[in-house]
Amino acid sequence: MFKSGFIAIVGLPNAGKSTLLNAILKEDLVITNPKAQTTRHRIKGILNGENHQLIFSDTPGIIEESAYKLQEAMMGSVNESLEDADVVLLVLDGQYPKFDLFVERMKKTTCPLVVVLNKADLVENQDSIEAHMESIKNTFNTDHVFLASAKEGFNIETVVASLVLLSPEHPAFYDKETISDESVRFLVSEMIREQILNLFKKEIPYSVEVSVTNYNEKETIDEIYATVFVERESQKGILLGKGGSAIKALGIASRKRIEAFVHKKVFLSLTVKVKKDWRSDEQQLRYFGYLKK
Ligand SMILES: Nc1nc2c(ncn2[C@@H]2O[C@H](COP(=O)(O)OP(=O)(O)OP(=O)(O)O)[C@@H](O)[C@H]2O)c(=O)[nH]1
Ligand SMILES: [Mg+2]
């Protein structure tokens, strides 16, 4: 019997949804960061087993009030993933396992629910976590509640086994070699954004969008040209840094990250451009793929 299911990974920002997806896939496919709202798109990652194929959608962390059109679009992608799902994988931070926000939301879906209390390695009070798990089981009427650590790889296989169990019987939807249906260009642009999250402070990571404009795959090297868009002239100055020092550091860190992913030498050229207030501009959001055409 072959099982194949669409799994929507949802939860609050910073719960560890993307880290959990990477742990499940055993590959650094999606970007992760201590800053909230790292994930902006619905991103598919595919786990292939002998008798199953699970198609995960990593989603942006749920926020109650959107300050920008970008955030509205991000929440749209969460809803879309929930609509398509066979199983919902709700990820909570085990240190603060609040779930009130999800009670109403989950009532709208009829599909089975698996809940992960992540960051088990940081949870100190075992008694209180067990009480929380009991109350989650009762509230959502599910037996599938697990304590896990995406970072340390603890209990990941148990979570996967539950997801397989709850998935429908169906042949594979994708080629069994496939790990994602995202383009390499998109994944590379995310890796550059990840380095921006690592290297820059305050509003900079939230104000940037990265777009790969050219990707030339050569025999021994991949040549990549990418543009980093910012909202204002002042942000461009920060990204470039004194004498171009900041963009140089960003280029080096990004190149290393991409090389580790494509297992090849990479030449990377970065350009910075201003696209005024792009986060509030519907046309720009469409252009960057946040809204459907
Ligand atoms: N200690 C510990 N840290 C974790 C664990 N899982 C994730 N983290 C950390 O938590 C932070 C947030 O992880 P992400 O995977 O980016 O969280 P997310 O839920 O995808 O966040 P958004 O995309 O912003 O919604 C990162 O710094 C991770 O390294 C875990 O099991 N233990
Ligand atoms: Mg994420």
Side-chain angles (χ1 to χ4, degrees):
M1 184 171 55
F2 197 90
K3 296 281 200 85
S4 199
F6 285 82
I7 320 289
I9 310 179
V10 298
L12 295 179
N14 217 36
K17 300 177 292 301
S18 303
T19 310
L20 181 62
L21 177 59
N22 287 343
I24 289 172
L25 299 179
K26 299 191 178 73
E27 174 95 48
D28 281 340
L29 177 75
V30 289
I31 67 169
T32 67
N33 198 272
K35 295 190 181 80
Q37 293 181 53
T38 295
T39 306
R40 289 183 181 167
H41 292 272
R42 169 189 191 175
I43 304 174
K44 283 198 199 128
I46 303 166
L47 179 74
N48 289 297
E50 203 166 318
N51 294 312
H52 62 259
Q53 180 174 72
L54 300 182
I55 303 121
F56 292 89
S57 288
D58 186 16
T59 66
I62 294 173
I63 43 174
E64 284 184 274
E65 304 242 336
S66 306
Y68 297 94
K69 283 215 171 83
L70 169 65
Q71 291 175 328
E72 265 172 49
M74 284 159 60
M75 293 311 103
S77 77
V78 178
N79 293 332
E80 193 186 277
S81 308
L82 284 170
E83 280 162 24
D84 292 351
D86 294 309
V87 184
V88 175
L89 175 55
L90 174 61
V91 183
L92 305 175
D93 186 330
Q95 300 170 98
Y96 332 94
K98 271 179 70 72
F99 53 81
D100 318 2
L101 183 65
F102 301 100
V103 176
E104 280 308 307
R105 222 172 253 267
M106 292 307 152
K107 272 188 194 152
K108 289 184 203 147
T109 128
T110 51
C111 53
L113 177 69
V114 174
V115 184
V116 167
L117 282 92
N118 188 34
K119 309 198 184 181
D121 54 301
L122 300 177
V123 171
E124 278 167 10
N125 190 334
Q126 287 302 321
D127 291 341
S128 96
I129 198 82
E130 273 167 31
H132 270 297
M133 288 171 77
E134 250 344 278
S135 115
I136 292 168
K137 281 182 187 168
N138 294 332
T139 308
F140 294 103
N141 195 20
T142 175
D143 287 333
H144 304 272
V145 180
F146 305 100
L147 189 60
S149 169
K151 197 170 180 180
E152 302 200 334
F154 163 67
N155 232 0
I156 305 301
E157 294 308 319
T158 321
V159 175
V160 170
S162 245
L163 295 170
V164 173
L165 184 78
L166 295 169
S167 287
E169 203 181 324
H170 197 282
F173 287 93
Y174 290 86
D175 185 320
K176 292 213 188 142
E177 306 298 306
T178 314
I179 181 171
S180 177
D181 69 346
E182 305 298 339
S183 66
V184 175
R185 278 180 180 233
F186 170 73
L187 295 170
V188 161
S189 71
E190 285 285 273
M191 288 170 196
I192 298 169
R193 200 165 60 78
E194 180 178 49
Q195 302 313 314
I196 296 173
L197 278 152
N198 287 341
L199 295 173
F200 295 88
K201 289 190 217 116
K202 294 187 187 153
E203 96 282 7
I204 295 290
Y206 296 101
S207 312
V208 302
E209 177 65 22
V210 181
S211 175
V212 170
T213 50
N214 219 332
Y215 197 120
N216 301 328
E217 227 181 310
K218 300 204 168 155
E219 205 173 321
T220 54
I221 195 166
D222 283 1
E223 282 178 7
I224 305 169
Y225 296 82
T227 304
V228 179
F229 293 98
V230 289
E231 293 205 300
R232 284 191 290 281
E233 210 52 57
S234 58
Q235 294 165 342
K236 182 173 171 177
I238 297 171
L239 263 169
L240 293 174
K242 242 193 186 143
S245 57
I247 191 86
K248 190 170 174 208
L250 173 64
I252 293 169
S254 303
R255 179 173 52 76
K256 286 189 181 150
R257 172 69 160 100
I258 301 164
E259 281 179 340
F261 183 69
V262 297
H263 303 296
K264 219 168 153 187
K265 251 183 110 56
V266 162
F267 164 83
L268 177 66
S269 163
L270 296 176
T271 309
V272 184
K273 284 189 184 161
V274 180
K275 252 200 208 305
K276 205 172 170 311
D277 297 328
W278 67 266
R279 280 186 297 177
S280 311
D281 182 335
E282 223 162 87
Q283 202 180 334
Q284 294 304 337
L285 291 174
R286 224 172 281 283
Y287 174 79
F288 289 137
Y290 289 103
L291 295 169
K292 295 256 155 61
K293 301 278 174 214

